[in-house]
Amino acid sequence: MEDAFLTTSLTARKQEERAAARTTLRLRRLMAGLSALVVLALIAGLVAWQQSRFGDQRLAEATSRRVAAVAESMRYADPLTAMRLSVSAWRISPTLEAKAALVGSMTQREQDAFNGPGAGLGDNWFLSSGGRTLIASGNGQVRMWDVDSRRRTHTLRIGQGP
């Protein structure tokens, strides 16, 4: 009887150890699966974050290129606005197009236009050979302006005799 009790006890103990081993094995497999799932989720999150940064960078480059193109198109019509847009394009993203627009607007010579004040439609305009005096004739008078100071220097009446 004691032998039967010991045999039954040993058999029950072995069955419990096997059940515990199976439970431990299941837990280890579950932990390994969850760990792999966490690692995959982290990798997927990292890839998504990197793609988002890459997309943001591409958007900034495209915006910079568009602003630089607008600056280039405005360079002759409005040099000051073109310069500001070029700087903005460079600050958005330092692309080659932004650099070209910035350098182009910096090397753009300012163009100055001067029309004598009070000019009539029938006036004839002449620029002196030195380019310093603007001469307008019409309506029985000749008017002269200094181009640098934009001031009228002389007014002569012509064609009215005694």
Side-chain angles (χ1 to χ4, degrees):
M1 194 141 95
E2 292 175 0
D3 288 337
F5 176 76
L6 286 176
T7 306
T8 307
S9 296
L10 287 175
T11 305
R13 185 175 174 190
K14 286 182 184 178
Q15 287 176 352
E16 285 179 14
E17 287 176 358
R18 286 183 195 145
R22 282 193 298 259
T23 303
T24 303
L25 184 61
R26 283 184 197 147
L27 285 175
R28 285 184 184 167
R29 286 180 182 168
L30 180 63
M31 290 301 289
L34 287 175
S35 297
L37 188 62
V38 167
V39 168
L40 289 175
L42 286 174
I43 290 172
L46 181 64
V47 168
W49 175 72
Q50 194 172 27
Q51 289 296 323
S52 174
R53 283 188 53 215
F54 185 71
D56 290 345
Q57 182 180 0
R58 294 294 168 236
L59 178 64
E61 288 174 358
T63 303
S64 174
R65 286 185 181 105
R66 279 194 305 264
V67 172
V70 170
E72 282 291 321
S73 70
M74 295 181 69
R75 187 172 3 151
Y76 296 104
D78 190 357
L80 183 60
T81 302
M83 171 71 82
R84 289 177 179 158
L85 286 172
S86 299
V87 170
S88 296
W90 181 260
R91 285 184 178 166
I92 291 169
S93 180
T95 60
L96 291 176
E97 292 83 357
K99 182 179 181 181
L102 189 58
V103 169
S105 65
M106 289 175 63
T107 59
Q108 173 71 31
R109 296 178 59 141
E110 287 188 35
Q111 295 180 357
D112 192 9
F114 171 63
N115 290 329
L121 293 176
D123 287 351
N124 294 313
W125 294 87
F126 305 97
L127 191 59
S128 68
S129 62
R132 306 203 80 203
T133 304
L134 180 67
I135 304 167
S137 66
N139 298 329
Q141 54 181 318
V142 175
R143 296 171 304 279
M144 294 188 210
W145 284 272
D146 180 48
V147 174
D148 292 333
S149 67
R150 293 184 168 83
R151 294 187 180 194
R152 187 183 301 192
T153 57
H154 296 79
T155 300
L156 305 170
R157 300 214 180 269
I158 55 171
Q160 301 293 342

